[in-house]
Amino acid sequence: MDNWLFESVMYQIYPLGLCGAPRTNEATAAVPVSRIKNLTGWVPHLKKLGVNAVMFNPVFQSDTHGYNTRDFYTIDSRLGTDDDFADVCTCLHENGIRVMLDAVFNHVGRGFWAFKDVQRNRQNSLYCNWFAHIDWNVDSPYNDGFSYEGWEGHYDLVKLNLANPDVVEHLFGAVKKWTEAFAIDGLRLDVAYCLPHAFLKQLKNFTSRLQPGLGGQFVLLGEIVQSSDYTDFVNSEMLASCTNYECSKGLYSSFNESNMFEIAYSLNRQFGPEGLYRTIPLLDFAENHDISRVASILKNKADLPLLYGIIFAMPGFPCIYYAGEWGCEGRKEDGDAALRPAFSTPSWNGLTDFIARLARIRTDNDSLKYGDYTQLFILNKQFVFSRHYGTEEVIVAVNCSDDDYIVTPHPAGYAAFAGMYGNFTNMFTGSIENYNGPVRLFPKSIQYWYRNS
């Protein structure tokens, strides 16, 4: 398919954290420190893991955390130079790994050059109309002598006026530069739910003419936190995909509360026969740079492989947040640094090995990438569903109980199950297994079975 997201195993990196950059960018003119080039050393790890796309959180010149941009046209000096990042992107592309950049278009930092001009020249600035709701009669919390709109009340994040054609031209010029300098394949749009529909349509039209580094479609992926109806933003005129926050919460909660009905409800609502998003490749994740690490949320660490097993088998495409593949911990209440740690080299353990196996299975199977979703069986601690594409079918079974469970054919109710019949290939062992109705689910297990009818 032209939309390469369907075939993606995404890896999310927060570079300022992973590379150990100082929290504050002391001066825009500071001598760049080539920290980001260290990421070329992670490429063998990514390939072994089965990753074929990397999503970078903000890499451009900013005040502190990347989302308070100073300059859209220059790599953050704490990470290195434009040439340093171009080398990283070239290395990824040469290894068949696509590159997606975090685009922060709703707001900028107080250090953004045009906002600094407004601070200096006030009403005489040529850039007064670049920002939302400047009021010269009210003072800001920073005592600027004027007020402005900050993103969700955060006045260190100055909201842009995206109805101003000059602002749009400036932002689109940056995207053009990123495409030319780094051969990027798409954009992740920060707080996409705040962006005007008219702006998203302009951006979609503009980027549809760009050529991604590895070919195919230039994609726009939006951060959508609300879970009411993603199609308000994900449609043919705007975004190709968005973050599946609804299922991210349902996943860990289902295990913690021994209530598989929660994730089953969301998957049916989204991807079942009447599902809202059956043809949309949503980004499926367990954690990211804004929420607690799932290894810190789960009550039982033995559920981690099962949780990732669902993510890699559910519709959409899986995204691994860096270091999650070896079970890195970190809680939101301990601050951003706990969620965005520095590592000089990647690690590998049993969980990593299992996730790499999941990635290989998914990459090689069309049902897991494109297939329809059907729930087959559900109880509090057991959950069975299928993915079906053409003549192929994959059946996925989860048992979060500490005991064996035999799923037996039953005609009605929540525990209705038609049974499994015939020969199936166990996708983890490669062995052929014959079933005549009942299915045994081992304790704390996830199983994938494949059949080509």
Side-chain angles (χ1 to χ4, degrees):
M1 292 188 177
D2 196 39
N3 187 337
W4 51 264
L5 290 176
F6 280 102
E7 301 185 354
S8 294
V9 175
M10 187 77 74
Y11 194 83
Q12 180 187 357
I13 294 175
Y14 185 86
L16 290 169
L18 174 54
C19 297
R23 182 184 178 278
T24 302
N25 194 352
E26 296 298 342
T28 302
V31 176
V33 179
S34 300
R35 294 181 174 92
I36 204 161
K37 288 197 72 170
N38 294 337
L39 295 185
T40 57
W42 284 61
V43 173
H45 173 81
L46 299 180
K47 291 191 70 176
K48 184 180 178 183
L49 190 58
V51 166
N52 58 16
V54 169
M55 178 172 65
F56 288 103
N57 290 126
V59 295
F60 299 103
Q61 201 75 267
S62 71
D63 294 342
T64 53
H65 47 59
Y67 290 95
N68 40 19
T69 312
R70 288 180 180 175
D71 183 356
F72 289 103
Y73 285 72
T74 307
I75 294 295
D76 197 300
S77 54
R78 293 170 291 171
L79 296 174
T81 65
D82 286 11
D83 288 341
D84 291 333
F85 187 59
D87 288 344
V88 173
C89 294
T90 297
C91 182
L92 290 166
H93 283 136
E94 287 176 346
N95 283 276
I97 300 173
R98 293 183 182 272
V99 175
M100 177 173 282
L101 297 187
D102 207 340
V104 190
F105 291 156
N106 182 72
H107 48 261
V108 294
R110 286 174 52 82
F112 184 61
W113 59 272
F115 186 74
K116 300 294 286 184
D117 190 88
V118 174
Q119 288 176 312
R120 287 191 302 269
N121 298 308
R122 297 177 62 77
Q123 289 98 325
N124 294 323
S125 173
L126 297 176
Y127 304 104
C128 292
N129 197 36
W130 277 45
F131 306 100
H133 304 120
I134 286 186
D135 187 339
W136 302 103
N137 298 311
V138 179
D139 202 1
S140 75
Y142 287 94
N143 298 316
D144 293 299
F146 61 91
S147 68
Y148 53 89
E149 184 177 349
W151 173 70
E152 295 188 353
H154 298 281
Y155 284 89
D156 58 326
L157 302 175
V158 187
K159 187 171 175 62
L160 288 168
N161 175 14
L162 295 177
N164 184 336
D166 292 336
V167 174
V168 173
E169 182 181 3
H170 181 77
L171 297 177
F172 288 9
V175 175
K176 184 174 185 292
K177 179 193 172 178
W178 304 343
T179 306
E180 293 172 347
F182 312 126
I184 62 173
D185 299 278
L187 299 175
R188 180 258 192 199
L189 300 178
D190 181 55
V191 296
Y193 57 90
C194 293
L195 300 175
H197 285 194
F199 174 80
L200 288 173
K201 291 175 182 179
Q202 284 180 280
L203 181 61
K204 171 65 180 294
N205 183 58
F206 175 78
T207 56
S208 67
R209 300 189 296 271
L210 300 178
Q211 181 61 42
L214 292 184
Q217 177 185 347
F218 191 101
V219 299
L220 298 177
L221 184 156
E223 180 195 23
I224 307 292
V225 177
Q226 304 90 336
S227 61
S228 54
D229 190 349
Y230 294 145
T231 57
D232 288 344
F233 293 89
V234 183
N235 52 60
S236 61
E237 295 184 304
M238 291 184 275
L239 306 179
S241 176
C242 72
T243 49
N244 193 352
Y245 265 93
E246 177 181 346
C247 283
S248 72
K249 191 269 181 186
L251 281 163
Y252 70 76
S253 181
S254 292
F255 285 102
N256 282 350
E257 305 305 321
S258 296
N259 181 19
M260 287 290 142
F261 286 92
E262 183 171 352
I263 186 60
Y265 171 82
S266 291
L267 290 175
N268 276 322
R269 191 183 90 88
Q270 293 186 346
F271 307 114
E274 304 299 324
L276 295 171
Y277 316 127
R278 286 173 297 149
T279 61
I280 296 173
L282 298 182
L283 183 148
D284 302 319
F285 64 98
E287 58 192 12
N288 61 34
H289 62 297
D290 285 327
I291 59 178
S292 291
R293 294 278 187 164
V294 71
S296 294
I297 299 175
L298 285 179
K299 295 177 181 177
N300 189 339
K301 300 295 190 296
D303 290 330
L304 267 174
L306 282 61
L307 183 147
Y308 276 104
I310 294 177
I311 289 177
F312 275 78
M314 62 192 276
F317 63 99
C319 183
I320 305 162
Y321 182 48
Y322 81 95
E325 68 269 27
W326 64 80
C328 176
E329 298 189 29
R331 293 186 177 276
K332 176 73 171 177
E333 53 264 36
D334 295 328
D336 288 344
L339 310 179
R340 309 165 184 180
F343 295 100
S344 56
T345 56
S347 295
W348 196 280
N349 60 17
L351 178 62
T352 324
D353 202 45
F354 183 68
I355 291 175
R357 186 183 304 178
L358 293 173
R360 289 193 298 271
I361 289 172
R362 185 184 185 280
T363 298
D364 293 339
N365 188 272
D366 286 344
S367 291
L368 294 177
K369 290 182 286 192
Y370 313 120
D372 294 335
Y373 169 85
T374 305
Q375 178 181 303
L376 301 180
F377 177 81
I378 181 71
L379 284 178
N380 282 52
K381 296 184 179 182
Q382 292 79 32
F383 178 33
V384 184
F385 63 89
S386 73
R387 303 290 310 282
H388 189 276
Y389 185 75
T391 61
E392 295 184 352
E393 180 183 26
V394 173
I395 293 180
V396 179
V398 181
N399 180 16
C400 68
S401 169
D402 292 324
D403 302 310
D404 276 5
Y405 187 88
I406 306 297
V407 188
T408 57
H410 192 275
Y414 285 128
F417 180 59
M420 282 174 60
Y421 298 89
N423 290 329
F424 291 80
T425 301
N426 185 313
M427 299 180 78
F428 292 123
T429 67
S431 62
I432 305 298
E433 301 173 358
N434 181 266
Y435 292 90
N436 191 30
V439 180
R440 178 186 179 187
L441 306 185
F442 300 106
K444 288 292 182 188
S445 70
I446 184 160
Q447 300 177 74
Y448 289 9
W449 293 283
Y450 169 81
R451 178 171 62 182
N452 189 332
S453 59

